[in-house]
Amino acid sequence: MMPGKTIINIENLSVQRQGRVVLENISLSLKCGDTALLTGPNGCGKTTLLRSIAGFLPASEGRITLFGKFNSSREWKKQCHLLAYVPQEELISPFPVSVEEMAAMGTAGLKMSRAERQKRTEQALKDTGCWEMRQRSYFSLSGGEKRRVALARCLGQKAHLLLLDEPLSYLDTKARKSFIAVLEDIRKQYNITILMVTHTENELEEGSWSRFHFKDGLIEHTQGVRL
Amino acid sequence: MMELLTFPPVFRGFISLMAAGICFPLTGIFILRLNLLNMRFMLMHGVMLAGAVALSFSMDPLLTAMGINLFLVLLITIMSRNSSMPTGVLTTFFMVLSVGVAMTLIYRSKVPVQDTMGLLWGSIFALTARDNHLLLLFCAVILLFVLIWYRQIGAVLINPETARTSGVNEPFLFYAIMILTGLTIAFAMRLVGALLLDALVLLPAMTAVYFSKSMKSMFLTASVSGFIFSLSGFFLALIFDIPVSSGVILVGGVIFGLTFSVRFLYEKYK
């Protein structure tokens, strides 16, 4: 991706859910390689914003542009794999799936040869430190390992924009540090734009992340904070 | 005993049961994973409505059941995906409505109730050659669907939203899964009846979901278990002169119970 290119541009976005206004007049912009945190109290609309960007929730007002295309347009749908979304829980109820299969899901919607698919999945598993556990059942993994497998799925997809919804929640310090180390590595290696909802800020690399903080329905933007 | 297979109805029934045993559990996985148990129950009532319609208007019961289930499943899927109404509410509404319409038809057209209820029992030996061909064609469609879209189906079963962002045509696959589920219930009702349909569709899928560690092994285990349950159930039924559907559920139930117990004990005392 070209450095400096606008990846996300949100203008005056409002979103309603079941008649209730959850987001009102939100504007936000991220350029290629930017990394930002979405912070704020519970229920302020952080997850709603991520889901709106991903196209799961329609905007009642305003618009979201991703890589120069409206996120509800046909043109965007043809290249929607450029965005990868990691929900709080990837797989809620037990279901037999191996780590390798889970990571390969990132390439499920892309046309490519079997060899290319395997190569991409293998590289993604290695980049995230999941290669050794590829044969294991996904449900036998710890919380931190599951989050790293989710990153492997995004890398296999070759996404240029990651939307991560509270990936650090419920992880102990060691697992958080391990996840953040992998995230920083892939960010530097692939120049990926990242927007992450989190409550845990002080373990991220100093100055490399900016922050969008929800407060009283408005967003405060702080550049290069100690994150 | 093998000479029984030389009789065309028995042979047709045997072939149909084996094909259904291999393919229907694949749909069972969709039902379990996407939590379509309510939907399946509603579709069984749809088949009952189809029975009443078929008898009232002298139509083909299997084709009518396929048509009504297809209509119901598409209607509910469209409504649930385009509104905030929960699928459970919709399926319950249409289930009750199906029974109400069926009873009205039975009363007005003076169809004997037991004839309609008889359709709920099903019988693999009552299949016509055309039913048999339709069933084999449908089984081939299920197999091809799973083989061609294996990865994309997996992504939808794991998480429909992340599947969509990875470029999977999730709406198409979801509709296809719902249509296959509706038609599977229609065929399974004709084959083994309402009461034992789960032995053919769900029990092998449950066995697979419970004992597999990967998606590939789950789909394979479901098909292999379905085939083993059907084959053993068929011959058990011939040996002990019991209904084939009972034979299938007995074999399936015993195998599932045994493997479940062995695994439970292994995990407890390992």
Side-chain angles (χ1 to χ4, degrees):
Chain A
M1 292 303 294
M2 295 213 356
K5 184 180 175 180
T6 302
I7 302 295
I8 303 180
N9 190 36
I10 300 174
E11 292 172 63
N12 310 112
L13 177 75
S14 296
V15 177
Q16 292 187 6
R17 293 182 79 176
Q18 296 173 334
R20 189 174 78 89
V21 177
V22 185
L23 295 177
E24 194 167 17
N25 206 24
I26 298 287
S27 294
L28 180 157
S29 182
L30 286 181
K31 292 196 185 307
C32 182
D34 282 354
T35 48
L37 304 176
L38 267 180
T39 60
N42 286 337
C44 67
K46 302 183 296 288
T47 296
T48 301
L49 181 58
L50 283 200
R51 291 172 55 76
S52 299
I53 296 170
F56 304 143
L57 296 172
S60 50
E61 276 177 52
R63 59 186 187 180
I64 300 170
T65 313
L66 301 170
F67 300 87
K69 296 185 172 67
F70 295 131
N71 75 338
S72 54
S73 66
R74 279 174 185 272
E75 290 79 18
W76 168 248
K77 281 184 181 132
K78 284 179 194 160
Q79 57 178 76
C80 64
H81 62 273
L82 292 175
L83 175 154
Y85 171 67
V86 178
Q88 286 182 33
E89 273 294 341
E90 195 97 339
L91 184 54
I92 296 162
S93 55
F95 182 66
V97 59
S98 69
V99 168
E100 191 167 15
E101 286 173 331
M102 197 69 177
M105 287 306 142
T107 62
L110 306 173
K111 280 183 185 153
M112 64 181 76
S113 68
R114 195 178 172 154
E116 170 69 9
R117 201 179 298 279
Q118 277 178 341
K119 197 175 145 196
R120 268 203 200 191
T121 306
E122 182 180 332
Q123 188 59 48
L125 285 167
K126 284 178 176 167
D127 284 344
T128 51
C130 300
W131 178 247
E132 298 302 323
M133 54 188 178
R134 66 191 182 281
Q135 304 288 353
R136 283 174 61 188
S137 161
Y138 176 78
F139 267 93
S140 70
L141 304 183
S142 67
E145 288 169 334
K146 282 179 183 169
R147 308 287 158 88
R148 282 194 278 132
V149 174
L151 283 185
R153 172 176 65 74
C154 302
L155 284 186
Q157 189 177 323
K158 289 223 159 95
H160 295 292
L161 167 63
L162 299 192
L163 303 178
L164 311 176
D165 195 356
E166 302 211 32
L168 304 175
S169 298
Y170 311 114
L171 300 187
D172 59 27
T173 310
K174 191 180 163 197
R176 272 205 307 273
K177 283 187 172 164
S178 161
F179 179 85
I180 288 165
V182 171
L183 194 61
E184 295 281 2
D185 269 357
I186 62 171
R187 176 175 78 83
K188 285 170 188 161
Q189 195 177 342
Y190 298 105
N191 197 30
I192 295 175
T193 309
I194 303 172
L195 184 58
M196 175 163 83
V197 170
T198 185
H199 292 288
T200 311
E201 300 173 21
N202 55 7
E203 281 156 6
L204 295 169
E205 205 170 276
E206 188 172 352
S208 60
W209 292 67
S210 61
R211 179 170 63 177
F212 293 94
H213 183 71
F214 278 87
K215 196 176 177 188
D216 303 326
L218 296 170
I219 275 190
E220 289 173 352
H221 184 208
T222 324
Q223 284 283 2
V225 290
R226 174 172 167 71
L227 300 165
Chain B
M1 188 176 59
M2 293 304 283
E3 65 273 10
L4 283 171
L5 289 175
T6 57
F7 294 107
V10 178
F11 184 70
R12 269 201 302 269
F14 175 75
I15 294 295
S16 298
L17 186 66
M18 294 310 113
I22 292 169
C23 300
F24 284 9
L26 301 175
T27 319
I29 287 174
F30 305 151
I31 294 174
L32 289 178
R33 181 62 201 157
L34 297 175
N35 202 9
L36 302 175
L37 292 168
N38 257 357
M39 179 76 87
R40 142 198 151 276
F41 204 49
M42 186 276 298
L43 291 167
M44 288 159 71
H45 287 76
V47 176
M48 190 179 157
L49 168 63
V53 171
L55 289 172
S56 301
F57 302 103
S58 305
M59 291 162 71
D60 183 281
L62 180 62
L63 291 181
T64 312
M66 288 169 70
I68 287 184
N69 270 8
L70 207 55
F71 171 74
L72 284 171
V73 90
L74 285 175
L75 185 67
I76 290 175
T77 309
I78 290 168
M79 286 175 78
S80 64
R81 283 178 79 96
N82 294 295
S83 73
S84 55
M85 200 176 280
T87 313
V89 173
L90 289 168
T91 50
T92 307
F93 169 72
F94 282 106
M95 185 170 75
V96 175
L97 192 68
S98 299
V99 177
V101 175
M103 289 304 160
T104 309
L105 273 176
I106 289 167
Y107 178 77
R108 295 293 296 181
S109 56
K110 307 212 170 4
V111 171
V113 176
Q114 61 267 34
D115 285 2
T116 315
M117 294 303 166
L119 291 170
L120 298 179
W121 286 95
S123 169
I124 63 164
F125 302 126
L127 292 180
T128 63
R130 198 227 34 208
D131 291 349
N132 178 247
H133 293 151
L134 270 178
L135 181 93
L136 293 180
L137 182 69
F138 178 62
C139 287
V141 170
I142 296 178
L143 264 187
L144 282 176
F145 175 70
V146 173
L147 288 173
I148 292 172
W149 283 288
Y150 172 71
R151 275 188 198 84
Q152 291 92 327
I153 292 169
V156 172
L157 295 182
I158 286 170
N159 190 321
E161 289 188 339
T162 53
R164 235 187 294 169
T165 56
S166 60
V168 171
N169 190 348
E170 184 268 335
F172 161 73
L173 289 171
F174 192 79
Y175 275 98
I177 284 172
M178 297 306 279
I179 289 169
L180 290 180
T181 303
L183 295 180
T184 298
I185 302 297
F187 273 112
M189 289 277 279
R190 182 94 173 100
L191 264 180
V192 290
L195 304 175
L196 299 171
L197 160 158
D198 290 346
L200 198 59
V201 180
L202 290 183
L203 208 51
M206 277 162 57
T207 309
V209 169
Y210 192 73
F211 292 102
S212 306
K213 283 187 175 169
S214 71
M215 217 160 56
K216 195 173 181 179
S217 74
M218 175 187 65
F219 278 111
L220 277 172
T221 310
S223 278
V224 171
S225 317
F227 177 70
I228 292 171
F229 294 178
S230 303
L231 186 70
S232 322
F234 182 85
F235 286 108
L236 189 78
L238 291 189
I239 292 166
F240 294 102
D241 191 24
I242 55 173
V244 173
S245 45
S246 307
V248 174
I249 202 165
L250 283 174
V251 171
V254 167
I255 293 178
F256 181 77
L258 278 176
T259 44
F260 183 87
S261 307
V262 168
R263 183 165 168 174
F264 175 78
L265 291 171
Y266 172 77
E267 282 175 358
K268 193 172 179 185
Y269 296 108
K270 74 176 176 185

